[in-house]
């Protein structure tokens, strides 16, 4: 799948948010509309340090992704962690530019992990949905919920 949610595993540069499949229509790609950042209190306190650098800035983000398909336009609310870091140039060296990076921890509605065939039983779909809803905040628990989906499939 070209719009793979695995691209969101780890830190994503704000200017390179990957297009992932829309959970509502399954056809369109989600694109950022607007992201907001909130610096933590501990991060703000570090500004007083004489050796302070912008890379010490950490916090949280929240925002909206929207399906690019005209018929859908479904919004997806996302949130997670935020930090500043220097940007890398094409040759792998650090540039002088500071860039925001995001680590996804929540998406509502959840992003699709798997594409289910039409005849997938409802109990299997429900178990997969439960896994999708927590995969960014607790991958281990999501894996357990995926095992439940497999068990449901084997029991049908």
């Amino acid at each position: 799948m070209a719009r793979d949610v695995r691209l969101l595993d780890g830190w994503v540069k704000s200017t390179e948010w990957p297009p992932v499949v829309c959970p509502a229509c399954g056809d369109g790609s989600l694109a950022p509309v607007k992201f907001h950042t909130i610096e933590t209190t501990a991060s703000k306190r570090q500004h007083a340090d004489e050796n302070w650098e912008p890379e010490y800035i950490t916090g949280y983000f929240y925002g909206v992704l929207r399906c690019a398909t005209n018929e859908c336009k479904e919004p997806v609310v996302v949130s997670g962690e935020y930090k500043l870091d220097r940007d890398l140039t094409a040759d792998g060296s650090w540039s002088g530019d500071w860039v925001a990076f995001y680590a996804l921890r929540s998406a509502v509605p959840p992003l699709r992990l798997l594409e289910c065939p039409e005849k997938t039983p409802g109990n299997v779909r429900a178990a997969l949905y439960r896994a999708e809803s927590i995969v960014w905040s607790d991958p281990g628990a999501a894996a357990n919920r995926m095992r439940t989906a497999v068990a449901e499939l084997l029991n049908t």
Side-chain angles (χ1 to χ4, degrees), residues 131 134 138-146:
I134 63 167
D138 193 347
N144 283 330
R145 291 181 180 189
M146 293 290 283

Side-chain angles (χ1 to χ4, degrees), residues 7-151:
L7 298 172
L8 293 170
D9 183 25
W11 291 97
V12 177
K13 191 184 328 183
S14 60
T15 57
E16 296 177 0
W17 190 270
V20 294
V21 70
C22 174
C25 71
D27 292 324
S29 292
L30 297 175
V33 175
K34 179 74 174 164
F35 281 9
H36 304 275
T37 60
I38 303 167
E39 189 175 358
T40 64
T41 302
S43 177
K44 287 180 182 179
R45 281 190 208 117
Q46 291 184 17
H47 289 254
D49 186 321
E50 65 184 43
N51 297 318
W52 181 86
E53 293 280 339
E55 69 188 48
Y56 299 161
I57 294 176
T58 61
Y60 309 105
F61 83 93
Y62 63 96
V64 177
L65 306 173
R66 189 169 307 277
C67 180
T69 305
N70 285 334
E71 298 80 34
C72 182
K73 297 290 186 193
E74 182 72 20
V76 175
V77 176
V78 293
S79 65
E81 297 174 60
Y82 151 79
K83 70 177 181 178
L84 284 184
D85 207 346
R86 290 189 192 272
D87 198 8
L88 286 175
T89 62
D91 66 1
S93 61
W94 296 107
S95 75
D97 299 329
W98 294 98
V99 178
F101 286 84
Y102 303 120
L104 183 65
R105 297 294 179 250
S106 174
V108 178
L111 302 177
R112 290 184 183 178
L113 298 177
L114 299 170
E115 188 63 38
C116 295
E118 281 186 38
K119 293 184 180 181
T120 303
N123 58 343
V124 175
R125 285 181 189 270
L128 287 173
Y129 183 85
R130 289 190 296 274
E132 293 167 338
S133 67
I134 63 167
V135 70
W136 306 109
S137 60
D138 193 347
N144 283 330
R145 291 181 180 189
M146 293 290 283
R147 282 195 273 286
T148 301
V150 171

